[in-house]
């Protein structure tokens, strides 16, 4: 359903040949419908760049992206947005603080729809739908529909962003360390909510995480990026039985792996 073919992406900020940074080095990946893929890798290994290439924020130097068999290379970011749900690390990014919960939801539900004359005032059906959706989160947000989102905690905002990203079931959900800015307990809660939504709705999902335990616990496939290349791709039975020890063993067997940051092991 998503096919990434021989993607190369380099950055060169100064124009000097010696400053060329290869962010993705011939990356290919075939994602099946309903796959929930966790992505790990050190700082600067190319994880976010991969998501930015899929969503059309950057164009690759070479290679192709296909969604449902259609080549989307020429499709700009705003046209791909209707296929994609995205949640970033920063809880501020996904919602508007000066609008209420229900106003944010209303905007999310209109996303990707043909533009209609924009008028405020919500239908009763929408309100009931939003209330039911909020109840799923079990964070009490169904009672706070009229409050400004800026008053919510980081965890509540991430959960809300996640819910909104899935109002119009996206073809692909892209999560870029969306629990990394939260305290461990809240991160755990948002992670469980994520798993519930993704598995119940069978949403094809790519999730970047610093938390190795989460990468192991959730999803049906785990990939690891290192220096712009996919160096591990573990799926099926092997993924289901994977432990932290197995992963660490694979790291120690591969001298190329750069563990240059704080991957969380506990
Ligand atoms: P990760 O998300 O795995 O930490 P990134 O994909 O953000 O890594 O970055 C991969 C490499 O590409 C890094 O060396 C980073 O500095 C570089 N890079 C990413 N985005 C840009 C950009 N917009 N401009 C210049 N260099 C970038
Ligand atoms: Mg990143």
């Amino acid at each position: 359903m998503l096919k990434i073919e021989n993607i190369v992406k380099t950055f060169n900020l100064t124009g000097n040949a010696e400053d060329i940074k290869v962010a993705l080095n011939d990356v290919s990946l075939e994602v099946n419908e309903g796959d929930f893929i966790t992505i790990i890798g050190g700082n600067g290994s190319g994880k976010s760049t991969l998501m930015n290439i899929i969503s059309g924020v950057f164009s690759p130097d070479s290679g192709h992206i296909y969604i449902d068999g259609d080549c989307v290379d020429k499709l700009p970011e705003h046209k791909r947005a209707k296929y994609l749900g995205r949640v970033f690390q920063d809880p501020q990014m996904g919602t508007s603080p000066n609008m209420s919960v229900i106003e944010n939801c209303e905007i999310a539900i209109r996303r990707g729809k043909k533009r209609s004359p924009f008028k405020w005032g919500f239908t009763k059906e929408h309100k009931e739908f939003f209330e039911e959706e909020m109840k799923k989160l079990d964070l009490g947000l169904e009672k706070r529909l009229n409050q400004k989102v800026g008053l919510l905690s980081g965890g509540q905002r991430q959960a809300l962003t996640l819910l909104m990203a899935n109002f119009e079931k996206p073809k692909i959900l892209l999560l870029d360390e969306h629990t990394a800015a939260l305290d461990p307990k809240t991160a755990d809660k948002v992670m469980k909510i994520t798993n519930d939504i993704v598995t119940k709705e069978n949403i094809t999902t790519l999730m970047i995480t610093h938390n190795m335990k989460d990468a192991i616990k959730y999803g049906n496939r785990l990939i690891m990026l290192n220096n712009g290349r996919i160096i591990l791709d573990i799926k099926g039975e092997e993924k289901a039985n994977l432990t932290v020890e197995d992963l660490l063993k694979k790291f120690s067997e591969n001298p190329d792996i750069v563990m240059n940051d704080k991957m969380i092991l506990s």
Side-chain angles (χ1 to χ4, degrees):
M1 79 104 36
L2 168 67
K3 191 169 168 195
I4 296 164
E5 203 174 74
N6 303 112
I7 295 288
V8 176
K9 176 67 187 173
T10 55
F11 292 103
N12 186 357
L13 295 177
T14 62
N16 299 325
E18 62 266 26
D19 292 328
I20 293 176
K21 173 74 206 171
V22 183
L24 294 175
N25 190 351
D26 196 20
V27 168
S28 298
L29 181 70
E30 269 207 57
V31 179
N32 296 316
E33 185 98 47
D35 267 349
F36 181 2
I37 303 182
T38 58
I39 303 176
I40 58 171
N43 266 335
S45 56
K47 305 179 299 295
S48 295
T49 303
L50 182 62
M51 289 201 172
N52 284 323
I53 293 275
I54 294 168
S55 54
V57 176
F58 302 140
S59 355
D61 302 352
S62 58
H64 305 284
I65 305 277
Y66 302 86
I67 297 177
D68 277 348
D70 296 329
C71 180
V72 298
D73 292 353
K74 298 261 163 3
L75 222 53
E77 186 187 0
H78 70 275
K79 291 214 169 130
R80 290 188 208 184
K82 65 176 178 219
Y83 302 118
L84 304 174
R86 295 194 83 180
V87 185
F88 299 92
Q89 180 170 341
D90 184 352
Q92 318 263 356
M93 299 264 298
T95 43
S96 302
N98 293 319
M99 291 193 210
S100 68
V101 172
I102 196 167
E103 285 167 342
N104 273 276
C105 289
E106 196 67 27
I107 289 172
I109 214 163
R110 288 174 197 211
R111 189 179 62 106
K113 294 230 173 93
K114 273 236 158 63
R115 202 170 301 170
S116 57
F118 204 80
K119 49 178 191 280
W120 291 106
F122 312 107
T123 63
K124 194 157 161 275
E125 296 88 89
H126 273 192
K127 185 162 179 275
E128 280 165 9
F129 169 72
F130 295 144
E131 271 169 4
E132 286 313 306
E133 289 288 304
M134 295 306 150
K135 279 183 193 158
K136 284 188 199 163
L137 300 177
D138 194 25
L139 296 169
L141 288 182
E142 65 278 6
K143 297 188 208 83
R144 301 178 67 177
L145 286 180
N146 294 315
Q147 276 186 18
K148 289 212 161 89
V149 162
L151 298 171
L152 304 181
S153 70
Q156 288 169 328
R157 280 183 80 164
Q158 284 306 67
L160 180 61
T161 305
L162 196 63
L163 209 62
M164 287 179 358
N166 292 296
F167 278 165
E168 298 290 308
K169 189 177 168 183
K171 280 191 187 296
I172 304 160
L173 178 64
L174 301 173
L175 307 172
D176 192 345
E177 302 195 41
H178 71 305
T179 64
L182 309 173
D183 67 83
K185 216 175 133 207
T186 312
D188 210 42
K189 182 147 198 187
V190 171
M191 194 50 243
K192 288 200 175 94
I193 291 168
T194 304
N195 190 53
D196 279 353
I197 293 176
V198 166
T199 53
K200 259 187 216 139
E201 312 273 333
N202 201 34
I203 299 167
T204 308
T205 301
L206 304 185
M207 180 180 83
I208 299 172
T209 178
H210 258 87
N211 188 318
M212 221 182 285
K213 273 196 165 168
D214 284 348
I216 288 169
K217 182 170 172 191
Y218 298 104
N220 64 326
R221 185 171 172 190
L222 178 150
I223 67 174
M224 180 172 186
L225 279 167
N226 190 56
N227 277 330
R229 288 178 185 275
I230 295 177
I231 56 156
L232 281 180
D233 185 351
I234 303 169
K235 42 195 154 178
E237 191 92 334
E238 195 191 350
K239 166 72 172 71
N241 297 323
L242 192 69
T243 64
V244 169
E245 290 70 38
D246 295 335
L247 262 191
L248 291 176
K249 188 155 174 281
K250 285 187 190 291
F251 296 164
S252 64
E253 284 164 359
N254 188 337
D256 295 335
I257 294 178
V258 196
M259 291 283 279
N260 58 353
D261 72 343
K262 34 137 187 72
M263 284 208 223
I264 303 166
L265 289 166
S266 55

